[in-house]
């Protein structure tokens, strides 16, 4: 193997740069030429590949976002798009690809590899999980999740000051798509009174009861951490207002994109570097389509099909702990 390439795809996540940097530098140290592809699969289709040397990734390990930029490409997700991507990769002589992204990006990588195989050719590829949502079942964590939780924790501390001063209940809506992990981890770490996640059916009466019960106990300001996969903050506010009337002052905050940006945490930087080294090693061994992750602090890799078939499980233990000690 002589030439490999790396791209970032889907939503950006803190730690993507640390992963790109490590792929480039470790790849070079193993005698490879490493190409960066700009704007994910869309950039691949446009031939936006260029060789990266070690200096080109200097001063990036601590930066959020992705220096390679990212995109969502409808064109790539078609049979024609995959064929065109194959043409570009072969024209550049790329023999292996590292994809940093979420499950959609991995499915794209899988399609690409199947296309090579259908032509009787091999193509090594490896996926590094890069998404703040932590919604991939085969890995304990994905890159950017830890940083996003820390960002939410910091916001909760600030929000708490104001809500306590004004005796208000605040609904804080956080990201995660259909996965409640950002809400769960940040609510537990931030001492929120209520956690609402898509994995547990919404019981609005229980939320109302908790607010009233806390008020009787002399606590006039609650924080409700709401995962976006349940509903949006304004809808929840309406549901509560219908029941509480003027009994309690309610506010909503949607944290939005501030959760996606920012300097990666130490965990995400180390995790990124470890995944990148595993990815390059897989390519060097002509690994046929693997996804990389972390289980019990060990870096693991699985065949793409196997990894993507594993359903995300909900951390009931953390949820029970949070429920038991909140209030
Ligand atoms: P995030 O979790 O941040 O959304 P993601 O990788 O899941 O990341 P997607 O937008 O789902 O983000 O996918 C990124 C790109 O991967 C898409 O724009 C598309 O080009 C490609 N892709 C997604 N799903 C598929 C699929 N089923 N088959 C082929 N390619 C796909």
């Amino acid at each position: 193997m002589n030439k490999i390439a790396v791209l970032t795809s889907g939503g950006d996540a803190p730690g993507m740069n640390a992963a790109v940097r490590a792929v480039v530098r470790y790849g070079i140290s193993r005698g490879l030429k490493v190409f960066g592809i700009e704007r994910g699969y869309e950039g691949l289709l446009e031939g936006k590949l260029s060789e990266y040397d070690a200096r080109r990734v200097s001063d990036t390990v601590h930066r959020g976002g992705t220096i390679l930029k990212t995109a969502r490409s409808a064109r790539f997700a078609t049979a024609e798009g995959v064929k065109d991507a194959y043409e570009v990769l072969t024209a550049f002589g790329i023999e292996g690809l590292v994809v940093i992204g979420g499950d959609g990006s991995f499915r794209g990588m899988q399609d690409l590899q199947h296309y090579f195989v259908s032509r009787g050719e091999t193509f090594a590829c490896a996926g590094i999980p890069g998404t703040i949502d932590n919604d991939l079942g085969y890995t304990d964590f994905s890159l950017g999740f830890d940083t996003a939780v820390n960002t939410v924790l910091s916001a909760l501390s600030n929000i708490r000051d104001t809500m306590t001063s004004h005796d208000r209940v605040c609904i804080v809506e956080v990201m995660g798509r259909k996965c409640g992990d950002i809400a769960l981890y940040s609510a537990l770490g931030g001492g929120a009174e209520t956690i609402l996640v898509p994995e547990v059916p919404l019981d609005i009466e229980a939320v109302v009861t908790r607010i009233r019960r806390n008020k009787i106990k002399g606590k006039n300001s609650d924080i409700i951490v709401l995962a976006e996969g349940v509903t949006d903050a304004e809808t929840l506010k309406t549901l509560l207002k219908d029941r509480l009337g003027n009994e309690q002052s309610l506010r909503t905050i949607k944290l939005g994109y501030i959760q996606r940006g920012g300097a990666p945490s130490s965990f995400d930087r180390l995790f990124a570097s470890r995944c990148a080294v595993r990815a390059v090693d897989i390519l060097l061994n002509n690994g046929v389509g693997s996804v990389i992750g972390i289980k019990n602090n060990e870096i693991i890799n699985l065949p793409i099909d196997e990894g993507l078939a594993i359903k995300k499980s909900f951390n009931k233990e953390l949820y029970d702990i949070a429920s038991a000690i909140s209030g």
Side-chain angles (χ1 to χ4, degrees):
M1 179 153 311
N2 182 33
K3 288 183 188 172
I4 65 167
V6 55
L7 62 79
T8 51
S9 172
D12 64 300
M16 280 184 162
N17 285 328
V20 170
R21 169 182 177 268
V23 167
V24 170
R25 293 195 170 169
Y26 184 65
I28 292 170
S29 80
R30 299 298 310 272
L32 297 168
K33 287 186 192 308
V34 185
F35 284 68
I37 303 173
E38 278 179 30
R39 299 187 59 247
Y41 293 121
E42 192 61 25
L44 172 58
L45 291 171
E46 291 164 0
K48 293 220 157 47
L49 289 79
S50 58
E51 190 175 344
Y52 273 55
D53 62 16
R55 292 281 66 76
R56 208 160 158 192
V57 289
S58 292
D59 206 24
T60 59
V61 71
H62 59 289
R63 280 162 52 187
T66 161
I67 55 164
L68 289 178
K69 303 201 180 286
T70 182
R72 302 194 197 265
S73 172
R75 192 175 139 214
F76 176 76
T78 63
E80 195 62 26
V82 170
K83 179 175 163 295
D84 291 348
Y86 163 87
E87 303 288 349
V88 175
L89 287 167
T90 46
F92 276 85
I94 304 295
E95 298 153 282
L97 178 67
V98 179
V99 170
I100 307 169
D103 64 329
S105 304
F106 290 172
R107 283 181 210 286
M109 179 174 85
Q110 191 176 32
D111 287 354
L112 195 52
Q113 196 191 35
H114 285 168
Y115 187 76
F116 273 84
V117 172
S118 74
R119 297 179 59 94
E121 299 170 39
T122 57
F123 186 65
C125 51
I128 296 177
T131 167
I132 64 165
D133 299 337
N134 211 34
D135 56 357
L136 292 159
Y138 73 90
T139 178
D140 288 345
F141 299 109
S142 57
L143 216 51
F145 169 72
D146 183 67
T147 305
V149 168
N150 280 301
T151 303
V152 175
L153 283 177
S154 157
L156 289 181
S157 298
N158 292 5
I159 292 164
R160 172 81 72 186
D161 290 346
T162 299
M163 296 306 141
T164 307
S165 303
H166 288 268
D167 287 342
R168 285 177 185 152
V169 168
C170 190
I171 301 162
V172 183
E173 181 187 324
V174 302
M175 285 180 159
R177 295 196 188 206
K178 292 196 165 65
C179 178
D181 279 12
I182 294 180
L184 176 60
Y185 282 67
S186 57
L188 176 54
E193 281 69 23
T194 300
I195 308 169
L196 300 176
V197 289
E199 293 86 350
V200 179
L202 173 62
D203 182 349
I204 196 74
E205 303 307 334
V207 180
V208 171
T209 303
R210 193 172 303 114
I211 291 170
R212 287 191 172 130
R213 192 192 62 205
N214 283 349
K215 210 164 180 176
I216 290 165
K217 287 194 294 189
K219 192 171 188 181
N220 294 320
S221 77
D222 287 11
I223 287 188
I224 300 170
V225 175
L226 168 69
E228 67 179 353
V230 178
T231 184
D232 63 278
E234 285 305 320
T235 303
L236 181 64
K237 182 181 171 186
T238 305
L239 291 171
L240 291 175
K241 189 94 186 135
D242 286 348
R243 288 157 178 82
L244 290 165
N246 292 328
E247 250 180 79
Q248 180 64 57
S249 172
L250 298 166
R251 290 291 184 276
T252 58
I253 294 176
K254 181 175 178 160
L255 292 183
Y257 284 144
I258 67 157
Q259 294 158 92
R260 286 246 292 255
S265 65
S266 62
F267 176 85
D268 278 329
R269 296 181 202 196
L270 301 190
F271 181 32
S273 306
R274 294 173 75 194
C275 285
V277 166
R278 176 65 63 92
V280 173
D281 283 340
I282 287 169
L283 299 192
L284 284 168
N285 292 319
N286 287 311
V288 196
S290 301
V291 286
I292 299 164
I294 188 164
K295 276 274 167 199
N296 304 319
N297 204 28
E298 294 287 331
I299 298 298
I300 55 151
N301 57 273
L302 295 169
I304 309 175
D305 311 38
E306 212 179 292
L308 292 184
I310 297 174
K311 292 257 173 297
K312 172 77 187 173
S313 60
F314 180 58
N315 196 330
K316 181 81 169 44
E317 185 199 346
L318 282 190
Y319 183 80
D320 288 343
I321 292 172
S323 304
I325 65 178
S326 65

